[in-house]
Amino acid sequence: TKPEQLAELARLLAELTSDPWSRWLEARVALLRGDRVAAAQGLRELTIAPARIDYALVLADEGNSRKEGAQLGDLGDNALAIVVEALLAVEQGQASSASLRLNDLKGELPPRVAAYRALIDVHLHLGTNNPQRAAEVLAKLGRVRTPPNECAFWERVAWLHLQLGRNVDRSNDHKIA
């Protein structure tokens, strides 16, 4: 994204300060700029599900996954919330609670949710000392038709590649899986 485009989006969003959806988008712009502090501040008070999910991911990435606001269980049957909560649990070494939470998922998962679910599978395969199966799941992620576009997702993909002992090719970031 170009800085001019981000500035224009920030200007437009500033006109809609009372709307929670515009405040969420403003926080997403802060994430794109790399301003995690502003993003966390913008997401902290929002109650809409996408903002709560983003806030939980920001807290986890900052090492504050136990902080108030990082829990997503009260979002009910929101599939992305279920998967992200399970992902954060498995990243903290709580595979059994992650597996229990995933039992709440019903039916076919939307692409973004399925991609995050695949990250959990990679973690579980690594946890059971099955790097071959973990690598296969990561390879499938690279062929997903519409992968998530947020940094939190791709940072986790890169980290899993490093756990498999692979180097990340920075010249081809969008195809590292």
Side-chain angles (χ1 to χ4, degrees), residues 137-157:
V137 174
L138 272 178
K140 286 181 185 177
L141 272 175
R143 294 186 299 272
V144 171
R145 186 174 180 170
T146 54
N149 61 359
E150 60 262 7
C151 293
F153 176 82
W154 291 108
E155 289 165 357
R156 284 169 167 80
V157 169

Side-chain angles (χ1 to χ4, degrees), residues 36 53-62 84 88 116 152 156:
R36 300 178 67 76
I53 293 165
D54 285 344
Y55 186 56
L57 287 167
V58 168
L59 288 175
D61 290 346
E62 298 298 325
V84 167
L88 297 178
Y116 272 100
R156 284 169 167 80

Side-chain angles (χ1 to χ4, degrees), residues 94-166:
Q94 300 168 0
S96 59
S97 65
S99 296
L100 288 174
R101 190 70 174 118
L102 291 175
N103 290 335
D104 294 340
L105 294 174
K106 307 286 187 251
E108 187 176 337
L109 300 176
R112 181 177 179 210
V113 177
Y116 272 100
R117 173 67 173 94
L119 290 181
I120 295 169
D121 289 341
V122 174
H123 276 285
L124 294 174
H125 290 305
L126 287 172
T128 58
N129 202 21
N130 192 348
Q132 179 62 34
R133 185 67 184 120
E136 290 170 9
V137 174
L138 272 178
K140 286 181 185 177
L141 272 175
R143 294 186 299 272
V144 171
R145 186 174 180 170
T146 54
N149 61 359
E150 60 262 7
C151 293
F153 176 82
W154 291 108
E155 289 165 357
R156 284 169 167 80
V157 169
W159 176 245
L160 290 167
H161 275 284
L162 291 172
Q163 286 184 300
L164 284 168
R166 298 174 174 172

